[in-house]
Amino acid sequence: PNFVCRPGDQKSIVLPYMKVKAMQKSAILFLALIGGSFGFAPSRVPSIGHSVESKHGQSQSALFMANDEPVSKRKVALKQLGVAAKVVTTAFLASAGVPRAAFAAKKAVEVVETVDQTKKFVGIGAGVVAAGAAAVKLATGGPAKQDFLEATPYWDQKTVPTNTYKNKTPFTGKVISTKRIVGPKATGETCHIIIDHKGEFPYWEGQSWGVIAPGTRAKDGKPHAVRLYSIASSRYGDDFSGNTGSLCVRRATYWCPELQAEDPAKKGICSNFLCDTKAGDDVKLTGPVGKAMLLPEEDPTTNYIMVATGTGIAPYRGFIRRLFVEKTPAAEAYKGQAWLFLGVANSDALLYDDEWQEVKKNYPDNFKLDYALSREQTNAKGGKMYIQDKVEEYSDEIFQKLSDGAHIYFCGLKGMMPGIEEMLKGVAARKGLDYAAWIKGLKSKKQWHVEVY
């Protein structure tokens, strides 16, 4: 969004002069990097009071200042910062090679006190800093190493954070973006929500956040109960900064057969709140919770089998980003194979497919991907292809991997487990295995991980 300070608004600007000068230096450094890397040289500096728009139309940044007020060092500095930041924004967003993380990282941090004592975000200073950091990433051929949130050694789980923030003292995060990530023919709406936690809410891959929806319950006036959501990003977040976390949320609705319409009185309060959020909205968070879905990373040759239905994909996105997308110690060491199974209704309901395809292309020997599309595929018996049917197609290979020490994960609606367990029981019987003893063995070796809801 554009944060605009119009003439007459600024009675006192809460922006230290030296901080402005430091930000100017950041902008100058960034422009030098851009000039060296891309040969960019602005032909003119945009005028104060005019919006700057990238050639892709993806971003605007405008700073309107009062030209008729007495000039002070602060105002001059702020004007200069506005000019520098607008050039930075234009140059960077117009560059075709800019990663999406650079756009996500650009956010407002400075505050202007207006006449009526309300606060508006200027949205310039952080844009300079974030763009400068992104420029360094481009100039050095990719993101810096993600190694600043690691245990020592990186696989040691003794320091996994749990219940840092509780129900009575939740953390307030701020939404950076909320985006629908399914196609028009999907059987519901699923959103990817990025939340800024300022680096104050550490978590590990496989953990969950609790979310408290605003307001109170109609039946008794008490606050809404906490709802748990698996975190859909690695500990470094979607922008690699360690300051954000992401959720993958399907909007819960209820179709009334009598009304032949959705009944708003029975919709999911928390999921609808999250899917309706916009940039800048506050979200009360608790946790992180859970250790059942953590990755055992001590042996870098460990194979991981990840089975999901719908938004149960969330923890696996964190796993896969950590192992294949980010420059983590775990990624550098990993030599095993991660195998992802995802069950959804149709192709429009696939989640993060572009990310999986990219990983598959880059790591064909270390990443496998299989989909079960119940409304588009048929199983071996001619019926609908559900997640258990797709897993059964590879049952010999999966049982062998488990025998060799692989870890298997299940995440999604709890209704997925009866079908999966019935399938596994049938396969075990064909192999002459005692199913109860086989499962007990996997659990005793901590190879069996389940998180359903």
Side-chain angles (χ1 to χ4, degrees), residues 11-32:
K11 287 297 182 184
S12 61
I13 299 177
V14 191
L15 190 66
Y17 178 67
M18 294 307 295
K19 191 170 185 178
V20 170
K21 298 299 290 182
M23 288 180 177
Q24 281 182 267
K25 290 179 181 178
S26 297
I28 292 168
L29 172 61
F30 168 72
L31 291 173

Side-chain angles (χ1 to χ4, degrees), residues 31 53 80 101 111 148 162 228 234 247 264 300 309 353 371 392:
L31 291 173
E53 184 173 1
Q80 291 174 340
V111 175
F148 52 90
T162 56
L228 294 178
S234 80
L247 298 178
T309 57
D353 178 62
Y371 291 142
E392 187 175 13

